[in-house]
Amino acid sequence: MSPSWREQVTIGLSPHQVTMRRYARGLRPVLKESRMFACRAPVKGETWQPAMESLDVAMAGGRGAGANVGVVLSNHFVRYLVLPWQPDLANEQEESMFARTKFLHAFGEAARDWVMKTSCAKPGQSSVGCAVESALIEALKSRLELAPFQLRSVQPFLMAACNARRKLPAGDAWIAIAESGRLLLGLMREGQWVSLRSRHLHDGTELAPIIEQEALLVGVDAGTVYLHRMGEVVLDLGGLKVRDWLSAGSANRVGKSN
């Protein structure tokens, strides 16, 4: 069966909620159902486990069984690194080894068993590496196989948001993705990623001082600020002029926008 003639389901996983959106069959899918399932508070040592429990509830009843599924992971569950261009790397295996070495250096031995992917980059340009706990990926796959769904993709939210925007800024730009409890702040210069840093976020946090601090760390002047807010997160934007990173339509495909 052609993928366009299956229902399309987008699942968003975060520590706070699981969202499930079903789209009708066809070349231009139309949203037919959107549901949200709250997650219980994690106990000590848990991260993504409550989200899996809520996913079980979301899939109960077999609604959408057989659909093509794309999963978008909250930045809470993902670690990112900007990887500099390495002209001496001869193949994908060497590139993967280089990325894992960088993650081990940045995050310690916990990174040894993580599932890692790197973005495609033109020769001479930096790339973005992302890593997720392998146990999360295995738990996700096992649940979707039982549904049964046709798992087509698992994407970190940053990648899903960039794909939805389609064209990245050509000049200097700060990319801020804010969700409950988490801020991912990235810097692009001349279309290349320079830095990506994740930090805890509280409602009412001032964004301008965070960007100023980051600018000092990387040694650049401030550029255009693009912001995407997920859910009900509240930011103090005093002193900043910001642009929307995603249009409302694009934002709804990868995460609820306000």
Side-chain angles (χ1 to χ4, degrees):
M1 180 184 292
S2 171
S4 64
W5 294 110
R6 293 182 184 271
E7 282 192 344
Q8 310 293 316
V9 173
T10 300
I11 295 173
L13 294 182
S14 83
H16 311 289
Q17 66 180 34
V18 171
T19 59
M20 180 177 285
R21 296 184 175 92
R22 293 173 58 205
Y23 296 85
R25 299 177 178 87
L27 296 176
R28 295 182 178 180
V30 175
L31 181 65
K32 61 186 294 187
E33 182 183 34
S34 180
R35 296 187 293 161
M36 186 274 287
F37 303 84
C39 299
R40 65 171 174 82
V43 299
K44 185 177 180 180
E46 289 185 325
T47 52
W48 46 266
Q49 289 83 355
M52 290 297 155
E53 295 171 7
S54 293
L55 179 59
D56 290 338
V57 176
M59 295 189 302
R63 297 163 75 174
N68 289 331
V69 174
V71 178
V72 178
L73 298 177
S74 159
N75 290 326
H76 280 272
F77 301 144
V78 186
R79 299 293 180 266
Y80 298 99
L81 282 179
V82 175
L83 303 172
W85 167 251
Q86 299 293 310
D88 297 331
L89 300 180
N91 51 49
E92 289 186 7
Q93 182 178 8
E94 291 185 3
E95 291 172 359
S96 296
M97 291 176 63
F98 171 72
R100 191 166 297 277
T101 299
K102 287 293 186 180
F103 272 93
L104 284 167
H105 178 75
F107 299 102
E109 281 299 309
R112 192 167 298 279
D113 295 325
W114 291 352
V115 176
M116 298 182 185
K117 296 289 184 181
T118 58
S119 63
C120 296
K122 296 179 181 178
Q125 293 187 348
S126 61
S127 61
V128 174
C130 59
V132 181
E133 287 185 40
S134 57
L136 186 160
I137 299 298
E138 291 304 316
L140 180 60
K141 287 181 177 179
S142 65
R143 281 166 167 80
L144 294 178
E145 287 172 358
L146 291 173
F149 287 125
Q150 302 295 318
L151 181 61
R152 295 297 180 183
S153 66
V154 179
Q155 289 185 306
F157 187 86
L158 173 65
M159 304 310 172
C162 289
N163 290 339
R165 196 176 196 274
R166 297 183 180 177
K167 187 175 182 181
L168 297 177
D172 295 353
W174 293 100
I175 314 301
I177 298 177
E179 56 184 302
S180 180
R182 181 72 55 176
L183 174 69
L184 181 66
L185 182 64
L187 172 65
M188 300 194 75
R189 301 204 75 181
E190 299 180 358
Q192 289 193 61
W193 289 101
V194 174
S195 68
L196 271 171
R197 204 180 307 272
S198 181
R199 61 174 70 201
H200 294 294
L201 183 67
H202 303 285
D203 276 354
T205 295
E206 295 180 78
L207 186 57
I210 295 176
I211 291 179
E212 290 174 5
Q213 182 185 50
E214 195 69 17
L216 287 173
L217 288 173
V218 296
V220 301
D221 295 327
T224 303
V225 179
Y226 292 89
L227 173 65
H228 179 62
R229 281 186 279 198
M230 300 169 61
E232 304 296 333
V233 64
V234 177
L235 278 176
D236 184 341
L237 302 179
L240 287 177
K241 292 183 178 179
V242 301
R243 299 182 183 180
D244 289 332
W245 176 244
L246 294 175
S247 65
S250 296
N252 286 336
R253 292 302 298 269
V254 295
K256 184 180 178 182
S257 175
N258 288 295

